[in-house]
Amino acid sequence: SNNHYHHHHHQNNMNVVPFDTRDMTGRERFHPFSPGNHYSYKINHQNPDWYAKYSIDLKEGIDCCSDYSISFHYVKPLLMPKIHALLYDCRE
């Protein structure tokens, strides 16, 4: 789309280079949805949505998210301390 062209054009002018931020096993570290949405997400191979189309080697289920995830979008405030506890207090 025209918007994608302008975004790409401005990134090039600012010397912004795309970088693969997945972990060593190919799992995502930056997530556009909440953890539950990622865990239950299923790719519709007949009619993939934007997320499936624009992701590279997208993984499903328990393999969706890196053990070293950095961010999740659309997380409600009451869920934030629970995610923090799972990520940082339950490590082996």
Side-chain angles (χ1 to χ4, degrees), residues 1 4 28 41 48-58:
S1 76
H4 287 261
E28 298 289 341
Y41 181 81
D49 61 14
W50 67 268
Y51 184 54
K53 285 181 183 177
Y54 294 113
S55 297
I56 299 170
D57 299 326
L58 185 61

Side-chain angles (χ1 to χ4, degrees), residues 1 7 11-12 14 21 30 39 44 47-49 54-56 59-60 72 77 80-83 87 92:
S1 76
H7 184 74
Q11 282 183 330
N12 284 343
M14 301 292 292
T21 58
F30 294 91
Y39 182 74
N44 179 340
N47 188 21
D49 61 14
Y54 294 113
S55 297
I56 299 170
K59 298 184 184 305
E60 298 174 288
F72 290 93
M80 287 183 188
K82 294 176 184 176
I83 292 172
L87 291 174
E92 296 181 304

Side-chain angles (χ1 to χ4, degrees), residues 75-85:
V75 175
K76 295 181 180 180
L78 291 175
L79 184 58
M80 287 183 188
K82 294 176 184 176
I83 292 172
H84 185 274

Side-chain angles (χ1 to χ4, degrees), residues 1-62:
S1 76
N2 197 27
N3 191 32
H4 287 261
Y5 168 78
H6 288 294
H7 184 74
H8 179 72
H9 178 73
H10 289 295
Q11 282 183 330
N12 284 343
N13 286 342
M14 301 292 292
N15 293 322
V16 175
V17 179
F19 185 78
D20 187 353
T21 58
R22 294 174 295 168
D23 69 12
M24 292 178 65
T25 64
R27 295 182 297 175
E28 298 289 341
R29 292 186 230 215
F30 294 91
H31 310 284
F33 310 117
S34 68
N37 287 56
H38 282 282
Y39 182 74
S40 62
Y41 181 81
K42 300 286 183 220
I43 299 170
N44 179 340
H45 295 280
Q46 273 67 31
N47 188 21
D49 61 14
W50 67 268
Y51 184 54
K53 285 181 183 177
Y54 294 113
S55 297
I56 299 170
D57 299 326
L58 185 61
K59 298 184 184 305
E60 298 174 288
I62 199 159

